[in-house]
């Protein structure tokens, strides 16, 4: 009698119970589903070209630049700010690295590319910190400061060489951009994959033990195994795809490209920063309520400066990857890339209202944006029309975000 009376209630709550058991982020799942739909759609429209190993390998390389900067843009937007200058900073820092390698330091010296890379990354961090100082200490809106930065550093990238392209670059430096030799091969790709799987399993076990120790609710064992199994399957599938693409005119597997390894490193570091460090907690506290965070004793000015310095550093890393990939410093590098970075963060669930955002969601957003662009290129869509589509997607993403935030209130 009791079981019959309870069965309708259990039936109604079945979907909710499943969601609670799995602890899934519905927005992230929706984004992954959207990426899958785009992939299948473009594959059909391109007669099976889009989902080939070659195109997916190139897509991974293309996503790395946007993805690296998106991990920093998440923190910027979480603190209720914006950075419109990232594309110009990328181009300027990349140009400086190219000039140092080709015109300043001795060509062919073993330390050539290391010194130029180090100075370039320091320059990117300094630019970000300077912009953060104007925002945090002088109260100039981030929109204005970084809009000025967009114009300033785009102009400086041209001025440094008076519009001339600087090439070629150091051969070792070029590996950062991918290319024919810029990947680690099948064996080391599997080593990276196994290390990733071990990390996932260890993290899942540690998180479960920690929850049990402090008396928090834990997933059912079946749900834990299901979620972990899906992640492991994703890692294995990724490695298989990267190894399925052979170097031209050989049967040697390319494996994971170096730019993707850099992206993976950035994701791991930035995820740790947001989840386990005091700095990450301060960032989300400021985004949730800046006044309350300041009253709680958080040095909000220092945190905001640090966020923009970190964004500048990541733009410098992305600049190194993009410049290495082109094997040249060009004043047009990174143009309009800030739109893709911001759109990726917002599409991935980072709220423009502040206080909400995840690195994993932003990376899915980056994959979404680059998949869209890659598909349009394969279809032969002109660049101006590609910009139209990206602009419409950005507007749609912001509309979805504001609608979602309105429902939560």
């Amino acid at each position: 009698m009791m079981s019959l009376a309870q069965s309708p209630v259990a039936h109604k709550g079945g979907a909710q119970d499943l969601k609670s058991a799995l602890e899934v982020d519905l927005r992230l799942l929706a984004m992954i589903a959207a990426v899958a739909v785009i992939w299948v759609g473009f594959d059909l429209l391109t007669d099976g070209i889009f989902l080939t190993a070659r195109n997916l390998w190139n897509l991974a390389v293309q996503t790395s630049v946007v993805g690296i900067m998106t991990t920093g843009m998440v923190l910027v937007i979480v603190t209720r700010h914006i950075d419109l200058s990232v594309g110009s900073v990328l181009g300027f820092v990349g140009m400086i690295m190219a000039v140092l390698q080709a015109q300043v330091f001795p060509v062919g010296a073993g330390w050539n590319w290391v010194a130029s890379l180090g100075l370039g990354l320091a320059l990117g961090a300094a630019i970000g910190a300077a912009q953060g100082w104007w925002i945090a200490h002088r109260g100039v809106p981030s929109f204005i400061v970084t809009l000025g930065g967009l114009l300033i550093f785009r102009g400086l990238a041209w001025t440094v060489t008076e519009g001339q392209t600087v090439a070629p670059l150091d051969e070792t430096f070029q590996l950062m951009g991918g290319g024919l030799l810029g990947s680690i091969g099948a064996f080391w790709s599997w080593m990276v994959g196994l290390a990733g799987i071990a990390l996932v399993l260890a993290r899942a076990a540690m998180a479960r033990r920690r929850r049990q120790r402090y008396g928090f609710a834990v997933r059912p064992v079946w749900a834990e195994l299901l979620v972990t199994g899906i992640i492991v399957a994703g890692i294995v599938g990724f490695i298989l795809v990267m190894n399925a693409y052979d170097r031209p005119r050989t049967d040697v597997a390319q494996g994971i490209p170096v730019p993707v390894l850099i992206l993976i490193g950035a994701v791991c570091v930035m995820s740790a920063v947001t989840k386990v460090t005091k700095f990450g907690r301060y960032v989300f506290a400021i985004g949730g309520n800046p006044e309350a965070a300041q009253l709680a004793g958080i040095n909000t000015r220092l945190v905001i400066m640090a966020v923009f310095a970190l964004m500048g550093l990541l733009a410098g890393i992305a600049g190194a990857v993009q410049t290495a990939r082109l094997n040249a410093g060009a004043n047009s590098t990174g143009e309009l890339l800030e739109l893709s970075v911001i759109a990726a963060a917002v599409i991935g669930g980072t709220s423009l209202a502040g206080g909400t955002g995840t690195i994993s969601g932003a990376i899915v957003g980056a994959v979404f944006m680059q998949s869209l662009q890659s598909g349009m290129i394969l279809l032969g869509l002109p660049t101006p029309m590609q910009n139209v589509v990206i602009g419409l997607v950005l507007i749609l993403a912001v509309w979805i975000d504001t609608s979602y935030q309105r429902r939560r209130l």
Side-chain angles (χ1 to χ4, degrees):
M1 200 63 182
M2 182 70 70
S3 61
L4 289 174
Q6 289 178 342
S7 59
V9 177
H11 177 71
K12 288 181 180 179
Q16 187 65 34
D17 292 342
L18 180 60
K19 176 189 172 184
S20 300
L22 295 175
E23 297 180 4
V24 294
D25 183 343
L26 292 183
R27 293 186 70 179
L28 182 60
L29 286 180
M31 275 307 308
I32 293 174
V35 170
V37 169
I38 285 179
W39 283 14
V40 172
F42 278 132
D43 194 56
L44 293 174
L45 292 173
T46 58
D47 296 326
I49 296 176
F50 189 88
L51 288 181
T52 58
R54 176 182 179 180
N55 188 64
L56 292 178
W57 192 91
N58 287 324
L59 177 62
V61 174
Q62 294 160 7
T63 302
S64 60
V65 171
V66 173
I68 289 167
M69 292 197 292
T70 300
T71 62
M73 189 62 72
V74 169
L75 300 192
V76 172
I77 297 177
V78 162
T79 57
R80 304 188 180 188
H81 292 288
I82 200 73
D83 193 340
L84 301 175
S85 68
V86 291
S88 296
V89 173
L90 178 154
F92 176 61
V93 172
M95 178 63 81
I96 293 298
M97 291 181 188
V99 170
L100 289 174
Q101 288 184 45
Q103 299 179 0
V104 178
F105 296 148
V107 177
W111 52 267
N112 181 313
W113 71 275
V114 177
S116 64
L117 177 62
L119 290 173
L121 297 186
L123 176 62
I127 290 172
Q131 293 190 131
W133 182 83
W134 280 101
I135 295 163
H137 290 272
R138 289 296 174 261
V140 182
S142 59
F143 181 90
I144 299 300
V145 172
T146 58
L147 178 60
L150 182 152
L151 300 172
I152 291 168
F153 298 112
R154 181 59 59 195
L156 288 176
W158 189 92
T159 303
V160 167
T161 60
E162 296 184 350
Q164 299 298 313
T165 297
V166 178
L169 305 182
D170 185 87
E171 291 183 359
T172 304
F173 181 79
Q174 291 178 42
L175 298 179
M176 292 183 62
L180 292 179
L181 300 178
S183 55
I184 61 175
F187 175 78
W188 288 110
S189 294
W190 280 116
M191 292 299 100
V192 171
L194 291 174
I197 292 171
L199 182 62
V200 168
L201 296 176
R203 183 177 174 183
M206 291 172 60
R208 188 175 183 85
R209 282 199 300 266
R210 193 180 303 117
R211 282 174 170 266
Q212 290 173 335
R213 186 184 308 125
Y214 292 105
F216 295 143
V218 296
R219 289 185 182 128
V221 175
W222 66 266
E224 195 77 61
L225 292 174
L226 177 61
V227 172
T228 304
I230 291 174
I231 297 173
V232 169
I235 294 174
V236 172
F238 173 73
I239 301 298
L240 288 172
V241 171
M242 295 298 100
N243 287 343
Y245 176 46
D246 294 337
R247 291 175 183 171
R249 295 181 296 277
T250 72
D251 56 356
V252 178
Q254 285 275 34
I256 301 175
V258 173
V260 177
L261 287 177
I262 297 173
L263 172 59
I264 292 171
V267 169
C268 292
V269 171
M270 295 299 290
S271 295
V273 166
T274 57
K275 292 181 179 180
V276 302
T277 67
K278 188 182 294 184
F279 173 74
R281 291 193 292 272
Y282 287 171
V283 168
F284 281 88
I286 292 171
N289 192 322
E291 293 78 14
Q294 193 166 10
L295 291 173
I298 298 174
N299 189 338
T300 56
R301 291 179 176 178
L302 181 61
V303 171
I304 289 172
M305 273 192 65
V307 166
F308 276 89
L310 185 58
M311 182 70 257
L313 174 64
L314 290 166
I317 295 172
V321 171
Q322 186 78 325
T323 304
R325 185 180 173 205
L326 296 173
N327 187 26
N331 62 82
S332 61
T333 302
E335 277 190 356
L336 298 179
L337 204 57
E338 55 276 348
L339 298 182
S340 295
V341 173
I342 294 170
V346 175
I347 289 171
T350 304
S351 173
L352 291 171
T356 304
T358 63
I359 302 299
S360 57
I363 295 303
V364 175
V367 173
F368 178 91
M369 292 301 299
Q370 291 306 119
S371 298
L372 194 63
Q373 196 161 25
S374 175
M376 291 189 292
I377 291 173
L378 289 176
L379 291 174
L381 202 65
T383 300
M385 286 307 300
Q386 293 179 32
N387 293 333
V388 170
V389 173
I390 292 173
L392 290 173
V393 169
L394 180 57
I395 294 172
L396 181 62
V398 174
W399 173 72
I400 292 173
D401 174 64
T402 53
S403 300
Y404 177 78
Q405 294 300 326
R406 196 179 297 118
R407 291 195 200 96
R408 293 179 62 189
L409 299 176

